[in-house]
């Protein structure tokens, strides 16, 4: 997480204890230990250059100092406080001022561990917002048969800075015809599996083509109208997308633009690979749902095998085994005003013949009601770990 610089503010020296700076430094040392990164005072230029500016309200009388500076940063205003020297009282006055001006703010107060936990969430969200604001996402083909999975490019850009760029699928096919792909840990491991060599080469050439186009256009994520590839090059994009997601490049299939946006947001917030999957079967009474798809990220399974793409019976797709563990299920729309973030427990991975190749049976903490009454289209994104708090915080800051 690096370091965190804070703007130190205290009241006039003649009105305050001369030990406040020493006390404050000791406080920051304890907070640094709890966070695992150095939290230190810095000049305003350095503080405001960070994705998360923090104001350290060290004593009473700091209110005027804050008022003179606050317009240099944007909301939410984070007010770090100590248990002494009227720090909390001054921060409450500042927060009241912000609220009178229709601005969001938050007081951080409590033990070093409690403050550190909250700061980690806020910093992660701020870093993600900064990352997303510079993202260019390539759409190779349109959603086609998916009637609720396209995005409003302008609305997304306005709310987040993310830029969706549409490319003709023919450009990907032309790049594929050139052949070639990077030799790396994933490609070498896949080839050692001994799956049909000709099919493996075709699948990896799709990966190579996407990698070159990503570099050419400086893209940070892609979606591919992969079903059209079946006729155009007689293979699928399953393996290519599985590798890209493992490499930290959000990659969605079926030309699904909303899922690409969702994968980009989730990866920026969590650093985890996202599995784009179909909800295939629900058991409302047990709060269980089975998700399945053929593009599981290569870094998600404990072990995996290779088979064909489900619907077409061609190409190369991943079938997986993953140990039971906490998961998060996520989806957002292109306005970022609608989203779903659900805590889940992976009960088992499955190998049913009538579903897409990677299958997960999940228990949902909040039940299946969302999926039957208000889903954000079909595909949803699954990642390892419980990230609901971080996701909720991110969307609470979206205007």
């Amino acid at each position: 997480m690096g370091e965190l610089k804070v703007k130190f503010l205290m009241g006039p020296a003649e009105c305050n204890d001369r030990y406040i700076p020493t006390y404050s430094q000791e406080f920051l040392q304890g907070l640094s230990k709890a966070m695992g990164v150095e939290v230190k005072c810095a000049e305003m230029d350095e503080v405001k250059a960070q994705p998360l500016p923090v104001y350290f309200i060290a004593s009473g009388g700091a209110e005027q100092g804050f008022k003179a500076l606050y317009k240099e940063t944007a909301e939410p205003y984070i007010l770090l406080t100590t248990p002494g020297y009227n720090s909390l009282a001054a921060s409450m006055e500042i927060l009241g001022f912000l609220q009178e001006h229709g601005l969001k703010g938050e007081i951080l107060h409590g033990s070093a561990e409690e403050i550190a936990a909250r700061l980690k969430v806020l910093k992660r969200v701020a870093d993600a917002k900064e990352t997303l604001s510079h993202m260019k996402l390539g759409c190779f083909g349109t959603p086609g048969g998916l009637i609720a999975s396209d995005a409003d490019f302008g609305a997304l850009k306005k709310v987040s800075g993310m830029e969706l760029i549409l490319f003709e699928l023919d450009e990907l096919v032309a790049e594929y015809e050139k052949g070639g792909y990077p030799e790396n840990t994933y490609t070498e491991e896949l080839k050692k599996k001994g799956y049909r060599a000709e099919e493996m080469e075709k699948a990896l050439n799709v990966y190579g083509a996407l990698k070159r186009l990503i570099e050419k256009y400086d893209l940070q994520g892609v979606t591919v109208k992969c079903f059209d590839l079946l006729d155009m090059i007689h293979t699928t994009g399953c393996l290519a997308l599985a590798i890209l997601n493992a490499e930290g490049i959000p990659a969605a299939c079926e030309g699904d633009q909303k899922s690409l946006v969702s994968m980009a947001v989730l990866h920026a917030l969590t650093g985890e690979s996202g599995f784009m999957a179909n909800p295939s079967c629900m058991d409302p009474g047990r709060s269980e749902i089975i998700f399945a798809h053929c593009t599981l990220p290569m870094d998600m399974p404990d072990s995996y095998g290779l088979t064909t793409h489900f619907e077409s019976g061609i190409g190369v797709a991943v079938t997986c085994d993953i140990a039971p563990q906490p998961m998060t299920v996520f989806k957002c729309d292109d306005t970022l005003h609608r989203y779903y973030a659900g805590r889940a427990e992976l009960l088992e991975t499955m190998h049913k013949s009538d579903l897409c190749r990677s299958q997960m049976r999940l228990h949902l903490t909040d039940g299946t009601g969302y999926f039957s009454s208000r889903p954000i289209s079909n595909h949803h994104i699954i990642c390892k770990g419980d990230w609901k708090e971080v996701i909720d915080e991110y969307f609470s800051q979206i205007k």
Side-chain angles (χ1 to χ4, degrees), residues 307-320:
T307 183
T308 62
H309 172 243
F310 172 57
E311 288 91 343
S312 67
I314 68 173
V316 186
V318 176
T319 178
C320 72

Side-chain angles (χ1 to χ4, degrees), residues 74 132 222 264 307 349 398:
L132 291 167
V222 294
T307 183
T349 45
I398 299 295

Side-chain angles (χ1 to χ4, degrees), residues 287-363:
S287 296
E288 292 180 7
I289 189 166
I290 295 173
F291 287 92
H293 229 205
C294 293
T295 57
L296 184 86
M298 297 301 303
D299 62 338
M300 282 189 77
D302 300 319
S303 61
Y304 68 91
L306 300 176
T307 183
T308 62
H309 172 243
F310 172 57
E311 288 91 343
S312 67
I314 68 173
V316 186
V318 176
T319 178
C320 72
D321 289 291
I322 305 174
Q325 61 190 283
M327 296 280 192
T328 299
V329 182
F330 171 70
K331 187 70 177 289
C332 65
D333 71 1
D334 46 329
T335 70
L336 303 188
H337 291 141
R338 282 193 69 208
Y339 79 100
Y340 170 80
R343 294 185 172 98
E345 188 72 25
L346 174 61
L347 302 176
E348 63 174 342
T349 45
M350 307 160 66
H351 301 275
K352 294 169 64 70
S353 61
D354 60 347
L355 293 176
C356 295
R357 305 311 192 185
S358 289
Q359 305 161 18
M360 298 181 182
R361 185 165 66 92
L362 301 177
H363 177 270

